């Protein structure tokens, strides 16, 4: 019975952790849209806008990657640790 509760809690926690993937997706989409507007207004700044955009998207994506790592740890590592302590 305890094993089932631990597995369910780990799966629920992993699902909740993956909700954090929504933020980077929305943020990156907004940033790309604004970058395209900036390039459309001043085409000569394309290089600066693009390099800044790529750096910003890489920074924003780290949040989603951290959420994925936490979800994987909750699914595959945490149940074994908690069940081993029972």
């Amino acid at each position: 019975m305890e094993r089932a509760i631990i597995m369910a809690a780990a799966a629920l926690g992993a699902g909740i952790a993956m909700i954090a993937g929504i933020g980077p997706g929305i943020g990156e989409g907004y940033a790309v849209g604004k970058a395209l507007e900036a390039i459309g207004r001043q085409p000569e700044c394309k290089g600066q806008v693009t390099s800044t955009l790529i750096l910003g998207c890489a920074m924003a994506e780290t949040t989603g990657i951290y959420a994925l790592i936490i979800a994987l740890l909750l699914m595959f590592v945490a149940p074994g640790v908690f069940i081993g302590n029972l």
Side-chain angles (χ1 to χ4, degrees):
M1 181 67 178
E2 295 94 11
R3 181 181 174 94
I5 292 172
I6 290 172
M7 294 295 286
L12 184 63
I16 291 170
M18 286 312 297
I19 292 174
I22 295 171
I26 293 171
E28 288 174 26
Y30 185 75
V32 169
K34 291 296 182 177
L36 291 175
E37 285 180 20
I39 292 170
R41 290 173 195 254
Q42 293 183 337
E44 66 274 3
C45 292
K46 181 181 177 184
Q48 282 183 314
V49 171
T50 303
S51 62
T52 305
L53 171 71
I54 291 172
L55 179 64
C57 284
M59 297 283 285
E61 190 63 33
T62 58
T63 307
I65 293 171
Y66 289 146
L68 176 64
I69 290 170
I70 295 299
L72 289 173
L73 287 172
L74 282 171
M75 289 296 296
F76 298 112
V77 176
V81 170
F82 289 123
I83 291 172
N85 289 335
L86 290 179

Coordinates of all heavy atoms in Angstrom, one line a residue:
M1 N 0.8 -1.2 0.0 CA 0.0 0.0 0.0 C 0.9 1.3 0.0 O 0.6 2.2 -0.7 CB -0.9 0.0 1.2 CG -1.8 1.1 1.3 SD -3.0 1.1 0.0 CE -4.0 2.5 0.4
E2 N 1.9 1.3 0.8 CA 2.8 2.4 0.9 C 3.5 2.6 -0.5 O 3.7 3.8 -0.9 CB 3.9 2.3 1.9 CG 3.3 2.3 3.4 CD 3.1 0.9 3.9 OE1 3.6 -0.1 3.2 OE2 2.5 0.7 4.9
R3 N 3.8 1.5 -1.1 CA 4.5 1.6 -2.4 C 3.6 2.3 -3.5 O 4.1 3.2 -4.2 CB 4.9 0.2 -2.9 CG 5.6 0.2 -4.2 CD 6.0 -1.2 -4.6 NE 6.6 -1.2 -6.0 CZ 7.8 -1.2 -6.2 NH1 8.7 -1.1 -5.2 NH2 8.3 -1.2 -7.4
A4 N 2.4 2.0 -3.5 CA 1.4 2.6 -4.4 C 1.3 4.1 -4.2 O 1.2 4.9 -5.1 CB 0.1 1.9 -4.4
I5 N 1.2 4.5 -2.9 CA 1.1 5.9 -2.6 C 2.3 6.7 -3.0 O 2.2 7.8 -3.5 CB 0.8 6.0 -1.0 CG1 -0.6 5.5 -0.7 CG2 0.9 7.5 -0.6 CD1 -0.9 5.4 0.8
I6 N 3.5 6.1 -2.7 CA 4.7 6.7 -3.1 C 4.8 6.9 -4.6 O 5.2 8.0 -5.2 CB 5.9 6.0 -2.6 CG1 6.0 6.1 -1.0 CG2 7.2 6.5 -3.2 CD1 7.0 5.3 -0.4
M7 N 4.5 5.8 -5.4 CA 4.5 5.9 -6.8 C 3.5 6.9 -7.4 O 3.8 7.7 -8.3 CB 4.2 4.5 -7.4 CG 5.3 3.5 -7.2 SD 6.9 3.9 -7.9 CE 6.5 3.5 -9.6
A8 N 2.3 7.0 -6.8 CA 1.3 8.0 -7.2 C 1.8 9.4 -6.9 O 1.6 10.3 -7.7 CB 0.0 7.7 -6.5
A9 N 2.3 9.6 -5.7 CA 2.8 10.9 -5.4 C 4.0 11.4 -6.3 O 4.0 12.5 -6.7 CB 3.3 11.0 -3.9
A10 N 4.8 10.4 -6.7 CA 5.9 10.8 -7.6 C 5.4 11.1 -8.9 O 5.9 12.1 -9.6 CB 6.9 9.6 -7.6
A11 N 4.4 10.4 -9.4 CA 3.9 10.7 -10.7 C 3.1 12.0 -10.7 O 3.2 12.8 -11.7 CB 2.9 9.6 -11.2
L12 N 2.4 12.3 -9.7 CA 1.7 13.6 -9.6 C 2.7 14.7 -9.5 O 2.5 15.8 -10.2 CB 0.8 13.6 -8.3 CG -0.1 14.8 -8.1 CD1 -1.1 14.9 -9.3 CD2 -0.8 14.7 -6.8
G13 N 3.8 14.6 -8.7 CA 4.8 15.6 -8.6 C 5.5 15.8 -10.0 O 5.8 17.0 -10.3
A14 N 5.7 14.8 -10.7 CA 6.4 14.9 -12.0 C 5.4 15.7 -13.0 O 5.9 16.5 -13.8 CB 6.7 13.5 -12.6
G15 N 4.2 15.4 -12.9 CA 3.2 16.1 -13.8 C 3.1 17.6 -13.4 O 3.1 18.4 -14.3
I16 N 3.1 17.9 -12.2 CA 3.1 19.3 -11.7 C 4.4 20.0 -12.1 O 4.4 21.1 -12.5 CB 2.8 19.3 -10.2 CG1 1.4 18.9 -9.9 CG2 3.1 20.8 -9.7 CD1 1.1 18.7 -8.4
A17 N 5.5 19.3 -12.0 CA 6.8 19.9 -12.4 C 6.8 20.2 -13.9 O 7.4 21.2 -14.3 CB 8.0 19.0 -12.1
M18 N 6.2 19.4 -14.7 CA 6.2 19.7 -16.2 C 5.3 20.9 -16.6 O 5.4 21.4 -17.7 CB 5.8 18.4 -16.9 CG 6.8 17.4 -16.9 SD 8.5 18.0 -17.4 CE 8.2 18.6 -19.1
I19 N 4.4 21.3 -15.6 CA 3.7 22.6 -15.9 C 4.6 23.7 -16.1 O 4.3 24.7 -16.8 CB 2.6 22.8 -14.8 CG1 1.6 21.7 -14.8 CG2 2.0 24.2 -14.9 CD1 0.6 21.8 -13.7
A20 N 5.8 23.7 -15.5 CA 6.8 24.7 -15.7 C 7.3 24.9 -17.1 O 7.9 25.9 -17.5 CB 8.0 24.5 -14.8
G21 N 7.0 23.9 -18.0 CA 7.4 24.0 -19.4 C 6.5 24.9 -20.2 O 6.9 25.3 -21.3
I22 N 5.4 25.3 -19.6 CA 4.5 26.3 -20.3 C 5.1 27.7 -20.4 O 5.0 28.3 -21.4 CB 3.1 26.3 -19.6 CG1 2.4 24.9 -19.8 CG2 2.2 27.4 -20.2 CD1 1.2 24.8 -18.9
G23 N 5.7 28.1 -19.3 CA 6.3 29.4 -19.2 C 7.3 29.7 -20.3 O 7.2 30.7 -21.0
P24 N 8.3 28.9 -20.4 CA 9.3 29.1 -21.4 C 8.7 29.2 -22.8 O 9.2 30.0 -23.7 CB 10.3 28.0 -21.3 CG 10.2 27.5 -19.9 CD 8.7 27.7 -19.5
G25 N 7.7 28.3 -23.1 CA 7.1 28.3 -24.4 C 6.4 29.6 -24.7 O 6.6 30.2 -25.8
I26 N 5.7 30.1 -23.8 CA 5.0 31.4 -24.0 C 6.0 32.5 -24.1 O 5.9 33.4 -25.0 CB 4.0 31.6 -22.8 CG1 2.9 30.6 -22.9 CG2 3.4 33.1 -22.9 CD1 2.0 30.6 -21.7
G27 N 7.0 32.5 -23.2 CA 8.0 33.6 -23.2 C 8.8 33.6 -24.5 O 9.1 34.7 -25.0
E28 N 9.2 32.5 -25.0 CA 10.0 32.4 -26.2 C 9.2 32.9 -27.4 O 9.7 33.6 -28.3 CB 10.6 31.0 -26.4 CG 11.7 30.7 -25.4 CD 12.2 29.3 -25.5 OE1 12.0 28.7 -26.6 OE2 12.7 28.8 -24.5
G29 N 7.9 32.5 -27.4 CA 7.1 32.9 -28.5 C 6.9 34.4 -28.6 O 6.9 35.0 -29.6
Y30 N 6.7 35.0 -27.4 CA 6.5 36.4 -27.3 C 7.8 37.1 -27.7 O 7.8 38.1 -28.4 CB 6.2 36.8 -25.8 CG 5.9 38.2 -25.6 CD1 4.7 38.8 -26.0 CD2 6.8 39.1 -25.0 CE1 4.4 40.1 -25.8 CE2 6.5 40.4 -24.8 CZ 5.3 40.9 -25.2 OH 5.0 42.3 -25.0
A31 N 9.0 36.6 -27.2 CA 10.3 37.2 -27.6 C 10.5 37.2 -29.1 O 11.0 38.1 -29.7 CB 11.4 36.5 -26.8
V32 N 10.2 36.0 -29.7 CA 10.5 35.9 -31.1 C 9.6 36.9 -31.9 O 10.0 37.5 -32.9 CB 10.2 34.5 -31.6 CG1 10.2 34.4 -33.1 CG2 11.3 33.6 -31.0
G33 N 8.3 37.0 -31.5 CA 7.4 37.9 -32.1 C 7.9 39.4 -32.0 O 7.9 40.1 -33.0
K34 N 8.4 39.8 -30.9 CA 8.9 41.1 -30.7 C 10.2 41.3 -31.5 O 10.5 42.4 -32.0 CB 9.2 41.4 -29.2 CG 7.9 41.6 -28.4 CD 7.1 42.8 -28.9 CE 5.9 42.9 -28.1 NZ 5.1 44.1 -28.5
A35 N 11.0 40.3 -31.6 CA 12.3 40.4 -32.4 C 12.0 40.6 -33.8 O 12.6 41.3 -34.5 CB 13.1 39.1 -32.2
L36 N 11.0 39.8 -34.3 CA 10.6 40.0 -35.7 C 10.0 41.4 -36.0 O 10.3 42.0 -37.0 CB 9.5 39.0 -36.1 CG 10.0 37.5 -36.2 CD1 8.9 36.6 -36.5 CD2 11.1 37.4 -37.2
E37 N 9.3 42.0 -35.0 CA 8.8 43.3 -35.1 C 10.0 44.3 -35.2 O 10.0 45.2 -36.0 CB 7.9 43.7 -34.0 CG 6.6 43.1 -34.0 CD 5.7 43.5 -32.8 OE1 6.1 44.6 -32.1 OE2 4.7 42.8 -32.5
A38 N 11.0 44.1 -34.3 CA 12.2 45.0 -34.3 C 12.9 44.9 -35.6 O 13.4 45.9 -36.2 CB 13.1 44.6 -33.2
I39 N 13.1 43.7 -36.2 CA 13.8 43.5 -37.4 C 13.0 44.1 -38.6 O 13.6 44.7 -39.5 CB 14.1 42.0 -37.7 CG1 15.1 41.5 -36.7 CG2 14.6 41.8 -39.1 CD1 15.3 40.0 -36.7
G40 N 11.7 44.0 -38.5 CA 10.8 44.6 -39.5 C 10.9 46.2 -39.5 O 10.9 46.8 -40.5
R41 N 11.1 46.7 -38.3 CA 11.2 48.2 -38.2 C 12.6 48.7 -38.6 O 12.7 49.8 -39.2 CB 10.9 48.7 -36.8 CG 9.4 48.5 -36.5 CD 9.2 48.8 -35.0 NE 7.9 48.3 -34.6 CZ 6.8 49.1 -34.3 NH1 6.9 50.4 -34.5 NH2 5.7 48.5 -33.9
Q42 N 13.6 48.0 -38.2 CA 15.0 48.4 -38.5 C 15.8 47.2 -39.0 O 16.5 46.5 -38.2 CB 15.6 49.0 -37.2 CG 15.0 50.3 -36.8 CD 15.8 50.8 -35.6 OE1 16.4 50.1 -34.8 NE2 15.7 52.1 -35.4
P43 N 15.7 46.9 -40.2 CA 16.4 45.7 -40.8 C 17.9 45.7 -40.6 O 18.6 44.7 -40.5 CB 16.1 45.7 -42.3 CG 14.9 46.6 -42.4 CD 14.9 47.6 -41.3
E44 N 18.5 46.9 -40.4 CA 20.0 47.0 -40.3 C 20.4 46.5 -38.9 O 21.6 46.2 -38.7 CB 20.5 48.4 -40.5 CG 20.0 49.4 -39.4 CD 18.7 50.0 -39.7 OE1 18.0 49.7 -40.7 OE2 18.2 50.9 -39.0
C45 N 19.5 46.3 -38.0 CA 19.9 45.8 -36.6 C 19.7 44.3 -36.5 O 19.6 43.7 -35.4 CB 19.1 46.5 -35.6 SG 19.5 48.2 -35.4
K46 N 19.5 43.6 -37.6 CA 19.2 42.2 -37.6 C 20.2 41.3 -36.8 O 19.8 40.5 -36.1 CB 19.0 41.7 -39.1 CG 18.7 40.2 -39.1 CD 18.6 39.7 -40.6 CE 18.3 38.3 -40.6 NZ 18.3 37.7 -42.0
G47 N 21.4 41.6 -37.0 CA 22.5 40.8 -36.3 C 22.4 40.9 -34.8 O 22.5 39.9 -34.1
Q48 N 22.3 42.2 -34.3 CA 22.2 42.4 -32.9 C 21.0 41.8 -32.3 O 21.0 41.2 -31.2 CB 22.3 43.9 -32.6 CG 23.6 44.5 -32.7 CD 23.6 46.0 -32.3 OE1 22.7 46.7 -32.7 NE2 24.5 46.4 -31.5
V49 N 19.8 42.0 -33.0 CA 18.6 41.5 -32.5 C 18.6 40.0 -32.4 O 18.2 39.3 -31.4 CB 17.4 42.0 -33.3 CG1 16.1 41.3 -32.9 CG2 17.2 43.5 -33.1
T50 N 19.1 39.4 -33.5 CA 19.1 37.9 -33.5 C 20.0 37.3 -32.5 O 19.6 36.3 -31.8 CB 19.6 37.4 -34.9 OG1 18.7 38.0 -35.9 CG2 19.5 35.9 -35.1
S51 N 21.2 37.9 -32.3 CA 22.1 37.3 -31.3 C 21.5 37.5 -29.9 O 21.6 36.6 -29.0 CB 23.5 37.9 -31.4 OG 23.4 39.3 -31.1
T52 N 20.9 38.6 -29.6 CA 20.3 38.8 -28.3 C 19.1 37.9 -28.1 O 18.9 37.3 -27.0 CB 19.8 40.3 -28.2 OG1 20.9 41.1 -28.4 CG2 19.2 40.5 -26.8
L53 N 18.3 37.7 -29.2 CA 17.2 36.7 -29.1 C 17.6 35.3 -28.8 O 17.0 34.6 -28.0 CB 16.4 36.8 -30.5 CG 15.4 35.7 -30.6 CD1 14.2 36.0 -29.7 CD2 14.9 35.6 -32.0
I54 N 18.7 34.9 -29.5 CA 19.2 33.5 -29.2 C 19.6 33.3 -27.8 O 19.4 32.3 -27.1 CB 20.3 33.1 -30.3 CG1 19.6 33.0 -31.6 CG2 21.0 31.8 -29.9 CD1 20.6 32.9 -32.8
L55 N 20.3 34.3 -27.3 CA 20.8 34.3 -25.9 C 19.6 34.3 -24.9 O 19.6 33.5 -24.0 CB 21.8 35.4 -25.6 CG 22.3 35.5 -24.2 CD1 23.2 34.3 -23.9 CD2 23.1 36.8 -24.0
G56 N 18.7 35.1 -25.2 CA 17.5 35.2 -24.3 C 16.7 33.9 -24.3 O 16.2 33.4 -23.3
C57 N 16.5 33.3 -25.5 CA 15.8 32.0 -25.6 C 16.5 30.9 -24.9 O 15.9 30.0 -24.3 CB 15.5 31.7 -27.1 SG 14.2 32.7 -27.8
A58 N 17.8 30.9 -25.0 CA 18.6 29.9 -24.3 C 18.4 30.0 -22.8 O 18.3 29.0 -22.1 CB 20.1 30.0 -24.7
M59 N 18.4 31.2 -22.3 CA 18.2 31.5 -20.9 C 16.8 31.0 -20.4 O 16.7 30.4 -19.4 CB 18.5 32.9 -20.5 CG 19.9 33.4 -20.8 SD 21.0 32.9 -19.6 CE 20.6 34.0 -18.2
A60 N 15.8 31.3 -21.2 CA 14.5 31.0 -20.9 C 14.3 29.5 -20.9 O 13.5 28.9 -20.2 CB 13.5 31.7 -21.9
E61 N 14.9 28.8 -21.8 CA 14.7 27.4 -22.0 C 15.3 26.6 -20.8 O 14.9 25.5 -20.6 CB 15.4 26.9 -23.3 CG 15.1 25.5 -23.7 CD 13.6 25.3 -24.0 OE1 12.9 26.2 -24.5 OE2 13.1 24.2 -23.7
T62 N 16.2 27.2 -20.1 CA 16.8 26.4 -18.9 C 15.7 26.1 -17.9 O 15.8 25.1 -17.2 CB 17.9 27.2 -18.3 OG1 17.4 28.5 -17.9 CG2 19.1 27.4 -19.2
T63 N 14.7 27.0 -17.8 CA 13.6 26.7 -16.8 C 12.9 25.4 -17.2 O 12.6 24.6 -16.4 CB 12.6 27.9 -16.8 OG1 13.3 29.1 -16.5 CG2 11.6 27.6 -15.7
G64 N 12.6 25.2 -18.5 CA 12.0 24.0 -18.9 C 12.8 22.8 -18.8 O 12.3 21.7 -18.5
I65 N 14.1 23.0 -19.0 CA 15.0 21.8 -18.9 C 15.1 21.4 -17.4 O 15.2 20.2 -17.1 CB 16.4 22.2 -19.5 CG1 16.3 22.3 -21.0 CG2 17.4 21.1 -19.1 CD1 17.5 22.9 -21.7
Y66 N 15.2 22.4 -16.5 CA 15.2 22.1 -15.1 C 14.0 21.3 -14.7 O 14.0 20.4 -13.9 CB 15.4 23.3 -14.2 CG 16.7 24.0 -14.3 CD1 16.9 25.4 -14.2 CD2 17.9 23.2 -14.4 CE1 18.1 25.9 -14.3 CE2 19.1 23.8 -14.5 CZ 19.2 25.2 -14.4 OH 20.5 25.8 -14.5
A67 N 12.8 21.8 -15.2 CA 11.5 21.1 -14.9 C 11.6 19.7 -15.4 O 11.1 18.7 -14.7 CB 10.4 21.9 -15.5
L68 N 12.1 19.4 -16.6 CA 12.2 18.1 -17.1 C 13.1 17.2 -16.2 O 12.8 16.0 -15.9 CB 12.7 18.1 -18.5 CG 13.0 16.8 -19.2 CD1 11.7 16.0 -19.3 CD2 13.7 16.9 -20.5
I69 N 14.2 17.7 -15.8 CA 15.1 17.0 -14.9 C 14.5 16.6 -13.6 O 14.6 15.5 -13.1 CB 16.5 17.8 -14.7 CG1 17.2 17.8 -16.0 CG2 17.3 17.1 -13.6 CD1 18.4 18.7 -16.0
I70 N 13.8 17.6 -13.0 CA 13.1 17.3 -11.8 C 12.0 16.2 -12.0 O 11.8 15.3 -11.2 CB 12.4 18.6 -11.2 CG1 13.5 19.6 -10.8 CG2 11.5 18.3 -10.0 CD1 14.5 19.1 -9.7
A71 N 11.3 16.3 -13.1 CA 10.2 15.3 -13.4 C 10.8 13.9 -13.5 O 10.3 12.9 -13.0 CB 9.4 15.7 -14.6
L72 N 12.0 13.8 -14.3 CA 12.6 12.5 -14.4 C 13.1 12.0 -13.1 O 13.0 10.8 -12.9 CB 13.8 12.7 -15.4 CG 13.3 12.9 -16.9 CD1 14.6 13.2 -17.8 CD2 12.6 11.7 -17.4
L73 N 13.7 12.9 -12.3 CA 14.2 12.4 -11.0 C 13.0 11.9 -10.1 O 13.1 10.9 -9.4 CB 14.9 13.5 -10.2 CG 16.3 13.9 -10.8 CD1 16.8 15.1 -10.1 CD2 17.2 12.7 -10.6
L74 N 11.9 12.6 -10.2 CA 10.7 12.2 -9.4 C 10.2 10.8 -9.9 O 9.7 10.0 -9.1 CB 9.6 13.2 -9.4 CG 9.8 14.4 -8.5 CD1 8.8 15.5 -8.9 CD2 9.7 14.0 -7.1
M75 N 10.2 10.6 -11.2 CA 9.7 9.4 -11.7 C 10.6 8.2 -11.5 O 10.1 7.1 -11.3 CB 9.4 9.5 -13.3 CG 8.3 10.5 -13.6 SD 6.7 9.9 -13.0 CE 6.5 8.4 -13.9
F76 N 11.9 8.4 -11.6 CA 12.8 7.2 -11.7 C 13.7 7.1 -10.4 O 14.1 6.0 -10.1 CB 13.6 7.2 -12.9 CG 12.8 7.1 -14.2 CD1 12.7 8.2 -15.0 CD2 12.1 6.0 -14.5 CE1 11.9 8.2 -16.2 CE2 11.3 5.9 -15.6 CZ 11.2 7.0 -16.5
V77 N 14.0 8.1 -9.8 CA 14.9 8.0 -8.6 C 14.2 8.1 -7.3 O 14.5 7.2 -6.4 CB 16.0 9.2 -8.7 CG1 16.9 9.2 -7.5 CG2 16.8 9.1 -10.0
A78 N 13.3 9.0 -7.1 CA 12.7 9.2 -5.8 C 11.9 8.0 -5.3 O 12.0 7.7 -4.1 CB 11.8 10.5 -5.9
P79 N 11.1 7.3 -6.2 CA 10.4 6.1 -5.6 C 11.3 5.1 -5.0 O 11.1 4.5 -4.0 CB 9.6 5.6 -6.8 CG 9.4 6.7 -7.7 CD 10.7 7.6 -7.5
G80 N 12.4 4.9 -5.7 CA 13.4 3.9 -5.1 C 14.0 4.3 -3.8 O 14.2 3.5 -2.9
V81 N 14.3 5.6 -3.7 CA 14.9 6.1 -2.5 C 13.9 6.0 -1.3 O 14.2 5.5 -0.2 CB 15.3 7.6 -2.7 CG1 15.7 8.2 -1.3 CG2 16.5 7.7 -3.6
F82 N 12.6 6.4 -1.6 CA 11.6 6.4 -0.5 C 11.2 5.0 -0.2 O 11.0 4.7 1.0 CB 10.4 7.2 -0.9 CG 10.7 8.7 -0.9 CD1 10.5 9.5 -2.1 CD2 11.2 9.3 0.2 CE1 10.7 10.8 -2.1 CE2 11.5 10.7 0.2 CZ 11.2 11.4 -0.9
I83 N 11.1 4.1 -1.2 CA 10.7 2.7 -0.9 C 11.8 2.0 -0.1 O 11.5 1.2 0.7 CB 10.2 2.0 -2.2 CG1 9.0 2.6 -2.7 CG2 10.1 0.5 -2.0 CD1 8.5 2.2 -4.1
G84 N 13.0 2.3 -0.5 CA 14.2 1.7 0.2 C 14.2 2.1 1.7 O 14.7 1.3 2.5
N85 N 13.6 3.2 2.1 CA 13.6 3.7 3.5 C 12.5 3.1 4.3 O 12.4 3.3 5.5 CB 13.6 5.2 3.6 CG 14.9 5.9 3.1 OD1 15.9 5.2 3.2 ND2 14.8 7.1 2.6
L86 N 11.5 2.5 3.6 CA 10.4 1.9 4.3 C 10.8 0.6 5.1 O 11.3 -0.2 5.0 CB 9.2 1.6 3.4 CG 8.5 2.8 2.8 CD1 7.4 2.4 1.9 CD2 7.9 3.6 4.0

